Amino acid sequence: QVQELIGKKVDALIVNPVDTAATGRITKAATAAGIPLVYVNRRPDDPKLPAGVASVTSDDKEAGRMQMEYLAKKMDGKGSIVILLGELSNNSTRDRTEGVKEVLKKYPGIKVAEEQEGAWGRQKGMDITNNWLTQGRDFSAVVSNNDEMAIGAAMALNQAGKKPGDVLVAGVDGTPDGLAAVKKGQLTVSVFQDAKGQGEGSIDAAVKLAKKEALPQQAIVIPFKLITPENVSTFQ
């Protein structure tokens, strides 16, 4: 698609890279053609962006830190957690998980019992959590890299007869379903990723680059916000 758009000589490109491992080739093709390029939602794997390339993302490590800090306080700094990972090829998975583990260094009483790739999917999150439960795994919280896997985990816990709050469940994104799950008590917490802010920021950056205007910075960061039962209605 990028090659096709370059062939059409567009004024600027905005790319949401699903597989961040492919960003090197995309950057190379766009810069060779002299077409401004803006990555949105997921940052490229290469941290150093060449001239004419920008990214509009949120700091995924911060999302992991925010969800784990909230859970750690709820857990009184002790217990065990399981982690549901997004796609392993995606740097959002690595960074969100790293953020979680950064916080855990401050809480030696909290251990990671299991971690497994759920590839961002609700069904996969449900199946993995169900397997852990049938294996007799004991855990105080499920820390998920996104809302969909977290909702799947909550469904598995519910089917196993656990009441909301027996096992804490954390997601990331603040999707409409994620917000509804926080409101119902299925999710303990989520972290809002401002997709609208990212979208607007990427258009703004692309227009500036196309007009040969300077950007204040190449890596534009849209902040995450914590979603709790107390403030969830402000996000809906």
Side-chain angles (χ1 to χ4, degrees), residues 41-218:
N41 184 250
R42 295 184 177 102
R43 63 175 179 76
D45 280 350
D46 186 357
K48 190 159 169 50
L49 302 175
V53 181
S55 66
V56 182
T57 61
S58 298
D59 178 359
D60 283 305
K61 282 186 191 173
E62 184 61 16
R65 286 193 291 263
M66 287 171 90
Q67 62 174 179
M68 193 61 239
E69 193 66 61
Y70 185 85
L71 289 180
K73 289 190 170 79
K74 286 266 182 196
M75 294 165 70
D76 292 324
K78 55 186 185 292
S80 63
I81 65 164
V82 289
I83 304 175
L84 287 169
L85 306 164
E87 289 172 352
L88 298 182
S89 64
N90 200 291
N91 58 30
S92 291
T93 297
R94 296 193 295 274
D95 288 348
R96 289 178 187 183
T97 307
E98 207 172 298
V100 168
K101 290 180 178 177
E102 272 179 28
V103 170
L104 289 177
K105 287 174 190 168
K106 297 193 297 181
Y107 296 95
I110 301 175
K111 307 292 180 202
V112 179
E114 295 280 349
E115 54 183 275
Q116 197 171 327
E117 181 185 3
W120 307 118
R122 184 180 299 197
Q123 187 64 46
K124 203 88 187 282
M126 188 177 176
D127 293 345
I128 292 166
T129 307
N130 201 31
N131 286 343
W132 286 331
L133 291 165
T134 52
Q135 288 163 14
R137 299 278 184 216
D138 188 34
F139 46 91
S140 324
V142 179
V143 186
S144 171
N145 285 164
N146 78 335
D147 284 344
E148 278 298 294
M149 294 187 295
I151 290 166
M155 288 163 71
L157 290 162
N158 181 51
Q159 283 181 6
K162 306 275 186 192
K163 292 184 180 66
D166 284 355
V167 176
L168 307 177
V169 184
V172 177
D173 284 336
T175 61
D177 283 357
L179 294 173
V182 173
K183 205 162 196 175
K184 288 179 197 157
Q186 295 164 330
L187 298 194
T188 312
V189 67
S190 186
V191 184
F192 180 66
Q193 180 169 215
D194 188 354
K196 186 169 180 283
Q198 289 179 359
E200 288 172 355
S202 67
I203 292 286
D204 185 50
V207 169
K208 280 193 169 78
L209 288 171
K211 288 180 171 178
K212 306 277 192 287
E213 292 173 14
L215 290 176
Q217 66 230 47
Q218 274 181 289

